[in-house]
Amino acid sequence: MGHKNIVILGGSYGGISTAHYLLRHVIPVLPTEDTYQVLLVSPSSQAMCRQACPRAMISDEMFPQEKLFVDIAPSFEQYPKDHFRFIQGTATQLDHNNRSIYVQLNTSTVPETEKIEFHAIVIATGTSTTSPLLGLNRDELYLHQQWATFRAVLPTAKSIVVAGGGPSGIETAGELGEFLNGRSGCFTSKTATPKVPITVVTGGSQILPALRPAIAKKAEKYLSDVGVTIIKNARVKTVTPSGAGIDIIDSKATLTLDDGTILTPDIYIPATGVSPNTGFIDSALLSNNGRVETDNTFRIEKAGPRVYAVGDVASNVQNTGVHVILSCIPILCANMKRDLLLYTGKEGVAVGSDRVFKEDLRTSQMVPIGRNKGVGEAMGYQLPSFLVWLAKGRDYWLWTTANVWSGKQWAKES
Ligand SMILES: Cc1cc2nc3c(=O)[nH]c(=O)nc-3n(C[C@H](O)[C@H](O)[C@H](O)COP(=O)(O)OP(=O)(O)OC[C@H]3O[C@@H](n4cnc5c(N)ncnc54)[C@H](O)[C@@H]3O)c2cc1C
């Protein structure tokens, strides 16, 4: 009888969902000659609704904190003790040839690394944002510290610049605009001076490039109503001091744009995309876009058997997002079940056949602009502002996350 580790890296939508799904629907059907343990590795002891960051960064009053941040380990107490282990730590090296992962433990006061040999591994380490205000780039304590620094400087800020015209940048600008300036009625959109002018700098010719131009225009009007102006076709070329907005949240910044414009905001928020968390993976396993090269069965073929990736870190999905990840989990786990059963010598109908992910490439994107307005498209159809508010703007999807973190989302095998 042997002990087999199924390691999952990342404590967010991809990792936590995979862990619940395996514990509910896969581990119980594996032959009992071996014991299997799911090990979930995450730098943070809590999962969070990352989508809510553009509003949550402003104040703890914005959301019930116990729903926004949820302890990971207790959500897994529902499973047999020996089937699950939570490790608060950061994967520092994947040795795929020797099928080991090295994890630096976050719970230890002295640097301590654990080497774990794996039977199967799922990489779900997602992405980091340039601004540390927009997600769990490290652990929850770090995020709270960044928010505290930001909140301390916000009341005295006389101007803010947000770089990036994608959803994160636009949502952040809209939330800050409404919070600091209110919505028009207090001032007319074109002529009045907002209390705190907010500028979005975007390299594109329109904001929200995934949406139709007419919808982007509507977003601009909503933004203008809360004191946000847009500079298009320009990128931030230099930032002084260089860590402003990244390492130093409360620093005034001098920004030089590539068209020569100079901006000097009291707060600078770079919301310019994300970078995959793949620093611990051999570059031979990465694709051109820096993500892990993953096929549509979620296997990383180059890494050997039973090595998988899912979520924003995986290369096989173009339009990342939580709804997409949730549609990937049953397919990934069906293929893992098949591989794990094949290893035990089972074959034919007992193991089922491979399932293949096919992405829906129609545009689906909702962008709240403050607490009452928003723009969006779902499966290619324009959504009215009210529907964007109803689905997302009310609480940035917080109404959906309890089921994901608790595993209820995966009550049935699908
Ligand atoms: C500001 C913002 C707003 C968003 N809004 C929306 C939205 O409205 N709708 C939507 O569908 N999507 C939205 N997204 C995208 C959505 O948040 C992501 O698609 C989703 O979080 C990806 O989940 P994931 O599990 O792949 O990775 P992530 O959520 O990125 O989580 C990765 C996890 O891996 C951990 N990790 C990182 N490195 C390591 C390591 N070396 N070892 C172990 N663990 C590690 C991290 O701590 C984290 O727990 C938004 C993203 C941002 C930044």
Side-chain angles (χ1 to χ4, degrees):
M1 183 150 149
H3 176 86
K4 295 195 163 37
N5 291 323
I6 300 175
V7 177
I8 298 171
L9 305 177
S12 184
Y13 293 95
I16 289 182
S17 295
T18 304
H20 280 298
Y21 202 103
L22 293 176
L23 286 158
R24 282 169 186 252
H25 306 299
V26 177
I27 304 298
V29 301
L30 296 176
T32 50
E33 295 88 70
D34 291 310
T35 56
Y36 293 87
Q37 188 172 48
V38 172
L39 296 89
L40 180 63
V41 180
S42 163
S44 165
S45 70
Q46 295 185 315
M48 82 157 311
C49 178
R50 186 186 192 187
Q51 305 94 302
C53 286
R55 185 177 296 163
M57 69 170 79
I58 294 172
S59 155
D60 281 355
E61 303 293 309
M62 294 293 175
F63 297 103
Q65 295 298 297
E66 72 288 356
K67 286 191 181 158
L68 188 63
F69 291 91
V70 172
D71 289 335
I72 296 173
S75 308
F76 289 88
E77 283 169 5
Q78 59 188 303
Y79 306 108
K81 241 189 160 94
D82 53 346
H83 283 185
F84 180 78
R85 180 178 162 212
F86 177 67
I87 302 175
Q88 194 181 348
T90 306
T92 51
Q93 195 201 335
L94 171 70
D95 180 355
H96 61 277
N97 294 318
N98 293 306
R99 302 185 67 78
S100 304
I101 181 83
Y102 293 82
V103 174
Q104 181 164 347
L105 304 178
N106 286 15
T107 39
S108 170
T109 44
V110 284
E112 202 185 323
T113 300
E114 182 172 339
K115 177 187 175 191
I116 304 164
E117 287 172 2
F118 60 81
H119 182 57
I121 191 165
V122 181
I123 298 166
T125 47
T127 55
S128 291
T129 50
T130 313
S131 164
L133 300 171
L134 290 169
L136 283 171
N137 284 359
R138 297 187 203 167
D139 62 9
E140 68 272 21
L141 298 177
Y142 179 74
L143 180 59
H144 286 300
Q145 277 165 9
Q146 303 305 307
W147 284 355
T149 308
F150 173 71
R151 290 168 187 177
V153 75
L154 193 57
T156 55
K158 293 193 181 62
S159 63
I160 298 175
V161 170
V162 177
S168 314
I170 296 307
E171 287 171 1
T172 302
E175 292 298 331
L176 289 172
E178 194 181 76
F179 179 73
L180 296 167
N181 300 320
R183 194 166 280 281
S184 65
C186 306
F187 54 86
T188 59
S189 58
K190 286 245 162 85
T191 54
T193 313
K195 193 170 142 245
V196 183
I198 298 172
T199 308
V200 171
V201 178
T202 177
S205 56
Q206 74 165 59
I207 57 168
L208 302 173
L211 299 178
R212 279 178 255 159
I215 303 178
K217 274 266 161 241
K218 199 162 134 195
E220 273 190 51
K221 163 75 176 74
Y222 290 150
L223 287 166
S224 160
D225 290 346
V226 296
V228 178
T229 50
I230 316 287
I231 298 179
K232 294 178 192 158
N233 300 309
R235 287 175 199 279
V236 175
K237 205 166 114 194
T238 60
V239 182
T240 314
S242 62
I246 303 173
D247 309 312
I248 334 164
I249 295 301
D250 53 354
S251 168
K252 285 176 192 290
T254 301
L255 311 175
T256 310
L257 309 191
D258 55 6
D259 64 2
T261 308
I262 292 180
L263 303 171
T264 53
D266 289 331
I267 299 180
Y268 171 53
I269 303 178
T272 45
V274 291
S275 23
N277 296 321
T278 52
F280 61 97
I281 300 171
D282 190 326
S283 58
L285 302 182
L286 304 183
S287 68
N288 292 339
N289 61 10
R291 297 175 191 265
V292 190
E293 201 169 317
T294 313
D295 68 18
N296 279 330
T297 66
F298 299 96
R299 296 186 182 93
I300 307 171
E301 284 296 347
K302 283 185 192 161
R306 300 179 302 287
V307 181
Y308 314 84
V310 74
D312 285 10
V313 78
S315 71
N316 64 327
V317 177
Q318 265 183 49
N319 297 321
T320 52
V322 174
H323 57 291
V324 181
I325 296 175
L326 298 184
S327 71
C328 295
I329 301 300
I331 300 170
L332 160 72
C333 292
N335 292 335
M336 288 184 74
K337 181 174 171 181
R338 177 178 154 79
D339 294 346
L340 291 164
L341 284 169
L342 281 170
Y343 181 85
T344 67
K346 293 243 180 313
E347 0 179 271
V349 277
V351 298
S353 45
D354 256 4
R355 285 176 67 182
V356 178
F357 176 70
K358 193 165 180 307
E359 188 172 356
D360 182 347
L361 289 169
R362 288 173 296 181
T363 302
S364 284
Q365 190 172 81
M366 292 190 213
V367 183
I369 297 176
R371 301 181 75 125
N372 304 305
K373 299 284 180 196
V375 297
E377 274 182 66
M379 290 178 289
Y381 292 98
Q382 180 173 178
L383 294 170
S385 180
F386 169 75
L387 271 187
V388 176
W389 168 81
L390 189 68
K392 181 170 172 185
R394 272 183 309 159
D395 71 354
Y396 276 92
W397 302 119
L398 200 55
W399 61 278
T400 63
T401 50
N403 280 354
V404 178
W405 307 144
S406 71
K408 281 194 192 131
Q409 180 89 21
W410 310 112
K412 291 200 183 116
E413 194 169 10
S414 55

